[in-house]
Amino acid sequence: MDIQLDPARDDLPLMANTSHILVKHYVLDLDVDFESQVIEGTIVLFLEDGNRFKKQNSSIEEACQSESNKACKFGMPELCRISVANARTFSSEMEYNDFAICSKGEKDTSDKDGNHDNQEHASGISSSKYCCDTGNHGSEDFLLVLDCCDLSVLKVEEVDVAAVPGMEKFTRSPKLTVVSEELRNQIVYELVTLPADCWREQLDYYACCSQAPGCGELLFDTDSWSLQIRKTGAQTATDFPHAIRIWYKTKPEGRSVTWTSDQSDRPCVYTVGSPINNRALFPCQEPPVAMSTWQATVRAAASFVVLMSGENSAKPTQLWEGCSSWYYYVTMPVPASTFTIAVGCWTEMKLETYSLNDLATERPFSPSEADFRHIGVCSHMEYPCRFKNASAATQEIIPYRVFAPVCLKGACQETLLRLIPPCLSAAHSVLGTHPFSRLDVLIVPANFPSLGMASPHIVFLSQSILTGRSHLCGTRLCHEIAHAWFGLAIGARDWTEEWLSEGFATHLEDVFWAAAQQLDPREAREQQELRACLRWRRLQDEMRCSPEEMQVLRPSKDKTGHTSDSGASVIKQGLNPEKIFMQVHYLKGYFLLRFLAKRLGDETYLSFLRKFVHTFHGQLILSQDFLQMLLENIPEEKRLGLSVENIYQDWLESCGIPKPLQRERSAEAECGLARQVRAEVTKWIQVNRRPRKRKRRVKEEVFEKLLPDQLVLLLEHLLEQKTLSPRTLQSLQRTYHLHDQDAEVRHRWCELIVKHKFTKAYDSVERFLQEDQERSQRDSFICLLLAWGTRLALTLDIKGGIMWLRKPSARSTVHISVLLFPRGWSQPGTHKRQILINTASHSGACLPP
C-alpha cells in the first residue's frame, strides 16, 4: 500500500482507493442478534469507474439531461414490485430458476441459512503482493480496497445484474443473449446515473439487482484497516465488476457500535460516533469524497424498534412470529461515515396535552414568499434536492418523531417534545430550506459519550439534556439541528477541518436558540455575550491543558484535502484518545465566525450564510471555499486587511489563542449578565468569610435569580476560591436548588463538592457519574473506568476526593480508584494526577502529582 502507518502515532488511515473506483450505492440486508451481539448479513456495492465519474462531473448538466430523456422512457412493466422488507439475498450457488424476485411475488423457499458460511474464507491473497496506487498494474489484477476493521468477511461475489428481468432496457438491446462483464458494468452505470426524478424506480432496481444470483466468487484479503478484493484477469477499474456482494458479520468488540442496555435495562445497540466511523459495521469507502446513497433492510426480534438514517418514517413488517423487518433509504449522496443505526426497545413519545401534527405538515407554496427563496440551478451532483422544491422551501417544521425508553416518557413530554417545533422553526427562519425531509430524535443510553450527535434524518441526544430547565435541552437541540446544514448537507472535504462542522453549529446554536425563545435583540445579544464569556474561559483552559499540535484547526496546511494517487489518506490525530475530550474545533471555530460576523454585521452575515448554503449544499468544502466567498461579500472598507492568508495564519494554522481574539477580548467590556454574576460572587465570598458564631445579628444577603449560564459562570468563579466552608456550600446548594439544575450546572457543583470534600453532597456526585456519563467523561472530570462486560452496575464510595467503584455482581469485590479532577482547572500549582490501575488484582492506586 502507498500509505505507510506508524503504529506509534494516532493517525487514522483512510485506505479506500477512491481515485480509481467509487461506491455510488449500498444495499444492506442485515440481521441483529442480541444474544451473540452480532449483526450479520450482506451488503451489495454498486460501483462506478473513477475516470468515468470524473468525466461525468465535468459535464454534469448535459449528462443529466440526456440520461433523463432516455431512462425515464424505459418504464418498468416487467420489474417485480417486491416487498423489500421480506427480501433475502442469494448466492452464486443458486440456479437462475430459483431467482425468487423474478417470479413476481412467489415466496422464497430457499434455505435461509444456506447462504451464510460460518467459517471465514481464506483467500490466499497477500496484501503486500498487490498494490492499489494506480488503476492499471500491467499483468497484475486491479484491487478494490475498502475501509474495514473488526469484521468477519465470509465471502465476496460478483452479482449478475443481467439476470434481473427488464435490465435489457439499460443495454439498448432487445435481448440479453450474450452476457459479458462489460455488459453487466454498462447496466450498473446506467442504473447509478438515472436522473433524480426517477429515484423511486432506481431504488426498486437496486433492490432487485441486490438479490440477483452471484456469477462467481471474488478473491479477497483483510488486514487491520482494509478489505482488498480482486477478480482474476480484471486489470483495471473499468474491467472490475461494478456490482459485488459481501457476506460478513460484525464482532461484539467492534468499535463502530456499542452493545449495551438502555435506562430501562433493556438490551440495545447503536452507532456511537466512533473515531473509526462505520468500518466495523460494514465494509465501505470512508473518505468524504465517496458520497453515496443507501437502502437497508434490518431484521430484529419483534419487540425491538430499528431507527436509521433514512428519508422514510419506517414501520415494522412482521416476517414471522417474533421477527420484524424495517426498511430505510437515503437518496441524497453523503459520506458513508454519516450512516447511523440504533436498535432497541424504544417507545415513540408524543405530547398528550395537545397535538402539533398540523405544524409538522408542508404548507402550500405562496407566491408572496418567493422573495425569500434562492432560485437557481444547484451545483451538486444530481439527486432529489429539497432546495428545488417550492413546498419544502416554506416548510418551517419538518415531520419529526421522538423515541426513548419508556421510563423517560415524562421527561420527554415536559421538555424535549415542546422544544422541537420552535427550534426547527427558528432554524428555518435563519437558514431557509431544511436539507432533510424529516427528523427522528432518540434519547440514547446513559453511556453515550457526548450530549448529542447528528446524522441524516436522525439525532441522538443524551438523557442529560432532559434534566433541569429547558435551556440545556434547547441549546443542544439547536446545535444538532444546525448540523443538518453544516456537517451533513455541507461537509468538510478533509476531516481535519472539523471546525467547518462544529464551529458553525456552535455559532448557530446561539442564533437559533434566541429565535426559538423569541428574544428581543437586546436580550439575545446579552445572552450570546454571556455564552461567549463562558466559551472564552473554556478556550483558555483548553489551550493550557492540551498539546500544541492538537490546537490547530488546519493541521495539514497547504496539503489539506490532498490524498495519495489511489485516494488513500491519513487523518492526523484521528485515533488520539485525547481528541474526544477536546473542544478546540468547536471553540476556535466559533470565535472565528463570531469575529467575521461582527466585521460584516449580524444581518449581513446571516444573509451571506443563506447564500453560501444555497451555493454549496450537497457538496464538500475546504476552508478556502467559505473564506473566499465570504471576503467577496465584505465591502472593501470593512475588510481592514482581512485575507484568506492572514485568516489561515492567525486562526487556522497556529496553535494557542488567535491574536485577533486576544485583542478583542481584552478590549471588550464585560456584558451585563456577567457583571451581575460577579456581584453575586462577591456576596458569596463575604458569606464565606463570616465567622461560624456571630456575636451580633448580621443582615442576610439577598441573592439574585440567575439564568443557567449565569449559574455555570458563578460556580466557575467560586471554584477559583481556595476554600469554601461546608456552611457556604450548603447555603449555595439550597439557594439555587443545585440538585435540580441541568447537567452543565451540576457538573460544576460536583467539582466544588469534590474539591472541598463536602461529604453531605457526595450523593450528588454519585448521581452525576451514573446519570451524566458524557459530562463526566468529557468536560467535567478526567475519569478512568475499568469496564466489566457490557454494562456497569456501580456503587460509589467517595473518600477524600477518591472514588471507589464497586461492581456488586463480581465474585470478589472489585475496587477501582478514580481521581476526580476537573478538566481545565486554572488554579496555580495544580497538576493532573495519574491513576494507576492494576488489572491483574483489580485494584487501583492514586499516584502523587
Side-chain angles (χ1 to χ4, degrees):
M1 308 296 290
D2 59 335
I3 298 293
Q4 298 298 318
L5 298 178
D6 180 357
R9 299 188 57 170
D10 292 314
D11 298 337
L12 172 67
L14 302 179
M15 306 297 286
N17 53 339
T18 54
S19 294
H20 301 152
I21 195 165
L22 285 170
V23 179
K24 302 300 292 179
H25 188 77
Y26 297 92
V27 180
L28 295 100
D29 188 71
L30 303 173
D31 292 281
V32 180
D33 184 353
F34 280 93
E35 186 174 344
S36 61
Q37 295 190 346
V38 163
I39 299 173
E40 82 172 292
T42 65
I43 182 170
V44 177
L45 280 57
F46 293 86
L47 305 160
E48 185 175 24
D49 182 350
N51 292 327
R52 192 176 231 171
F53 176 72
K54 291 171 186 173
K55 290 177 184 177
Q56 178 192 356
N57 269 2
S58 65
S59 57
I60 187 168
E61 289 184 27
E62 180 182 347
C64 288
Q65 183 60 42
S66 62
E67 289 297 328
S68 177
N69 294 336
K70 175 182 63 177
C72 284
K73 292 178 182 178
F74 287 160
M76 299 179 64
E78 298 298 325
L79 180 64
C80 61
R81 298 291 181 168
I82 61 166
S83 170
V84 181
N86 291 296
R88 297 290 296 184
T89 51
F90 298 82
S91 78
S92 58
E93 298 170 0
M94 298 182 63
E95 296 294 331
Y96 174 77
N97 291 337
D98 292 327
F99 186 27
I101 69 164
C102 294
S103 59
K104 297 193 178 183
E106 288 182 15
K107 188 175 180 181
D108 169 24
T109 57
S110 63
D111 181 4
K112 289 183 172 56
D113 298 320
N115 303 319
H116 297 266
D117 191 342
N118 292 326
Q119 302 296 322
E120 294 189 38
H121 286 245
S123 65
I125 301 177
S126 168
S127 59
S128 61
K129 195 176 174 185
Y130 297 90
C131 86
C132 62
D133 285 333
T134 62
N136 191 329
H137 307 292
S139 61
E140 294 179 342
D141 296 327
F142 171 79
L143 203 62
L144 169 65
V145 182
L146 300 174
D147 294 295
C148 171
C149 71
D150 300 335
L151 291 178
S152 296
V153 179
L154 309 175
K155 179 180 177 181
V156 182
E157 64 181 358
E158 181 179 359
V159 178
D160 188 5
V161 295
V164 177
M167 299 309 284
E168 62 273 6
K169 299 184 179 85
F170 291 100
T171 65
R172 304 180 184 89
S173 174
K175 290 186 179 181
L176 300 181
T177 53
V178 180
V179 177
S180 63
E181 192 71 68
E182 182 180 0
L183 183 66
R184 293 190 188 96
N185 287 353
Q186 177 65 26
I187 290 172
V188 174
Y189 172 72
E190 297 288 347
L191 177 55
V192 300
T193 56
L194 278 175
D197 55 357
C198 295
W199 65 270
R200 292 183 188 276
E201 291 86 348
Q202 187 181 45
L203 287 175
D204 282 339
Y205 276 121
Y206 279 137
C208 290
C209 288
S210 71
Q211 299 165 64
C215 54
E217 291 193 28
L218 302 176
L219 299 174
F220 67 90
D221 192 20
T222 59
D223 58 26
S224 299
W225 291 109
S226 69
L227 167 63
Q228 303 145 34
I229 305 169
R230 74 177 177 95
K231 179 177 181 178
T232 303
Q235 297 181 8
T236 68
T238 303
D239 301 329
F240 188 82
H242 283 25
I244 64 171
R245 180 184 295 121
I246 301 170
W247 304 81
Y248 77 98
K249 59 183 178 180
T250 64
K251 297 180 180 179
E253 67 273 17
R255 288 166 282 173
S256 292
V257 297
T258 289
W259 299 87
T260 184
S261 297
D262 65 17
Q263 293 85 342
S264 297
D265 206 26
R266 302 289 298 274
C268 62
V269 60
Y270 66 101
T271 45
V272 288
S274 166
I276 67 165
N277 300 307
N278 284 322
R279 65 182 73 182
L281 178 58
F282 59 91
C284 58
Q285 290 183 330
E286 288 233 307
V289 69
M291 310 252 297
S292 58
T293 54
W294 59 73
Q295 60 198 99
T297 301
V298 179
R299 287 170 293 278
S303 58
F304 290 95
V305 172
V306 177
L307 301 176
M308 195 185 301
S309 308
E311 293 170 19
N312 57 314
S313 299
K315 301 292 183 182
T317 299
Q318 184 173 341
L319 300 181
W320 54 84
E321 187 175 355
C323 182
S324 294
S325 175
W326 301 71
Y327 171 70
Y328 288 89
Y329 63 84
V330 165
T331 61
M332 175 182 175
V334 288
S337 59
T338 64
F339 179 93
T340 300
I341 186 172
V343 184
C345 299
W346 326 117
T347 300
E348 184 174 358
M349 303 295 173
K350 297 180 180 179
L351 273 175
E352 295 180 351
T353 52
Y354 60 93
S355 173
L356 291 171
N357 290 337
D358 55 325
L359 294 177
T361 56
E362 293 190 10
R363 293 189 292 120
F365 173 65
S366 168
S368 63
E369 294 171 322
D371 292 339
F372 297 98
R373 298 188 298 113
H374 291 280
I375 300 175
V377 178
C378 296
S379 304
H380 52 70
M381 67 179 77
E382 195 181 14
Y383 67 85
C385 178
R386 283 175 56 81
F387 286 82
K388 294 179 180 179
N389 185 319
S391 181
T394 59
Q395 187 182 20
E396 297 178 12
I397 303 170
I398 55 176
Y400 64 91
R401 303 184 298 181
V402 175
F403 292 87
V406 68
C407 64
L408 297 178
K409 181 178 180 180
C412 288
Q413 289 181 338
E414 188 176 340
T415 53
L416 179 58
L417 282 164
R418 299 177 186 279
L419 289 174
I420 293 177
C423 290
L424 287 172
S425 180
H428 179 271
S429 71
V430 175
L431 293 181
T433 305
H434 288 281
F436 300 101
S437 58
R438 67 172 203 95
L439 177 67
D440 279 343
V441 178
L442 172 65
I443 302 299
V444 285
N447 66 344
F448 187 59
S450 68
L451 281 179
M453 184 177 78
S455 300
H457 308 282
I458 186 169
V459 163
F460 289 172
L461 291 176
S462 164
Q463 67 175 21
S464 295
I465 61 114
L466 299 176
T467 57
R469 286 177 270 177
S470 61
H471 176 76
L472 180 59
C473 184
T475 54
R476 194 64 203 189
L477 187 59
C478 287
H479 183 100
E480 302 307 333
I481 288 172
H483 276 311
W485 286 268
F486 292 94
L488 296 174
I490 301 174
R493 187 148 58 100
D494 187 316
W495 278 342
T496 60
E497 293 201 302
E498 193 179 342
W499 80 273
L500 289 169
S501 173
E502 298 301 349
F504 276 90
T506 304
H507 188 248
L508 285 168
E509 77 176 62
D510 292 356
V511 181
F512 290 0
W513 183 230
Q517 296 177 93
Q518 300 181 337
L519 300 179
D520 64 55
R522 185 192 63 79
E523 283 183 296
R525 188 168 53 253
E526 275 288 307
Q527 289 195 16
Q528 289 168 11
E529 288 295 332
L530 177 61
R531 291 178 70 77
C533 173
L534 286 169
R535 290 179 180 130
W536 169 242
R537 294 171 63 86
R538 292 174 197 170
L539 180 61
Q540 290 175 297
D541 291 341
E542 188 97 339
M543 296 302 101
R544 278 191 289 266
C545 296
S546 58
E548 289 188 351
E549 65 270 16
M550 297 183 70
Q551 299 175 8
V552 182
L553 300 189
R554 194 171 179 259
S556 300
K557 299 186 178 180
D558 292 340
K559 295 183 178 179
T560 302
H562 290 193
T563 63
S564 67
D565 291 340
S566 70
S569 62
V570 166
I571 305 302
K572 287 190 174 183
Q573 306 291 339
L575 295 175
N576 192 319
E578 282 195 47
K579 191 170 185 291
I580 62 172
F581 297 107
M582 295 194 63
Q583 298 184 67
V584 63
H585 290 277
Y586 296 74
L587 297 172
K588 286 179 77 171
Y590 158 80
F591 278 112
L592 169 57
L593 295 172
R594 190 170 182 269
F595 168 79
L596 295 171
K598 281 189 172 183
R599 188 65 63 94
L600 265 77
D602 288 338
E603 288 188 14
T604 304
Y605 172 74
L606 291 176
S607 177
F608 160 76
L609 216 53
R610 286 188 288 273
K611 181 179 178 182
F612 181 79
V613 165
H614 180 76
T615 302
F616 282 100
H617 71 273
Q619 300 175 71
L620 302 173
I621 64 169
L622 297 173
S623 294
Q624 59 258 40
D625 296 315
F626 171 72
L627 296 174
Q628 286 169 357
M629 185 172 174
L630 178 74
L631 292 177
E632 290 170 3
N633 284 264
I634 297 181
E636 192 66 37
E637 66 272 12
K638 289 189 175 183
R639 286 192 189 180
L640 300 178
L642 269 185
S643 67
V644 173
E645 289 71 26
N646 60 34
I647 292 174
Y648 279 169
Q649 183 178 352
D650 291 341
W651 291 88
L652 303 181
E653 296 180 355
S654 59
C655 60
I657 295 176
K659 292 179 181 177
L661 178 58
Q662 288 179 326
R663 291 193 294 267
E664 178 187 284
R665 297 306 301 181
S666 61
E668 272 189 350
E670 197 171 41
C671 70
L673 293 176
R675 287 196 302 271
Q676 185 183 8
V677 169
R678 200 169 286 279
E680 297 303 295
V681 171
T682 302
K683 294 178 185 177
W684 283 109
I685 293 174
Q686 292 173 347
V687 167
N688 191 57
R689 287 174 180 169
R690 290 174 184 167
R692 186 175 180 84
K693 294 182 179 180
R694 287 172 268 176
K695 295 181 179 178
R696 55 192 176 90
R697 188 174 183 84
V698 179
K699 184 181 178 181
E700 293 290 334
E701 292 285 359
V702 177
F703 296 101
E704 300 291 333
K705 186 176 181 180
L706 300 179
L707 298 171
D709 281 337
Q710 287 182 298
L711 270 178
V712 170
L713 185 58
L714 173 78
L715 297 178
E716 288 188 357
H717 280 308
L718 292 177
L719 275 165
E720 296 168 1
Q721 297 299 307
K722 187 175 181 179
T723 58
L724 291 177
S725 69
R727 176 172 48 85
T728 301
L729 292 169
Q730 191 168 1
S731 180
L732 193 69
Q733 182 182 27
R734 185 173 57 249
T735 300
Y736 300 115
H737 308 285
L738 295 177
H739 188 76
D740 299 322
Q741 295 292 340
D742 66 40
E744 291 286 6
V745 174
R746 286 187 290 110
H747 103 252
R748 271 76 171 184
W749 170 232
C750 288
E751 291 175 22
L752 278 171
I753 293 169
V754 173
K755 179 181 178 181
H756 299 292
K757 303 177 184 177
F758 185 39
T759 57
K760 289 183 178 180
Y762 277 173
D763 61 329
S764 295
V765 180
E766 179 175 350
R767 174 197 168 199
F768 179 78
L769 285 171
Q770 290 177 326
E771 298 180 5
D772 302 285
Q773 292 183 32
E774 80 295 326
R775 294 289 87 189
S776 63
Q777 292 174 41
R778 188 167 178 160
D779 303 328
S780 42
F781 302 114
I782 296 176
C783 294
L784 186 59
L785 300 179
L786 187 60
W788 295 81
T790 59
R791 179 176 171 82
L792 286 173
L794 301 174
T795 300
L796 289 77
D797 300 315
I798 306 174
K799 300 174 182 177
I802 300 294
M803 222 162 354
W804 295 88
L805 284 74
R806 183 181 301 111
K807 185 184 179 190
S809 59
R811 290 185 181 179
S812 58
T813 302
V814 177
H815 294 283
I816 307 164
S817 66
V818 178
L819 174 68
L820 287 186
F821 189 85
R823 185 173 187 82
W825 254 8
S826 55
Q827 267 186 281
T830 303
H831 303 281
K832 292 181 183 178
R833 297 186 182 221
Q834 292 178 308
I835 300 173
L836 179 66
I837 297 292
N838 184 336
T839 56
S841 61
H842 310 309
S843 64
C846 182
L847 302 180

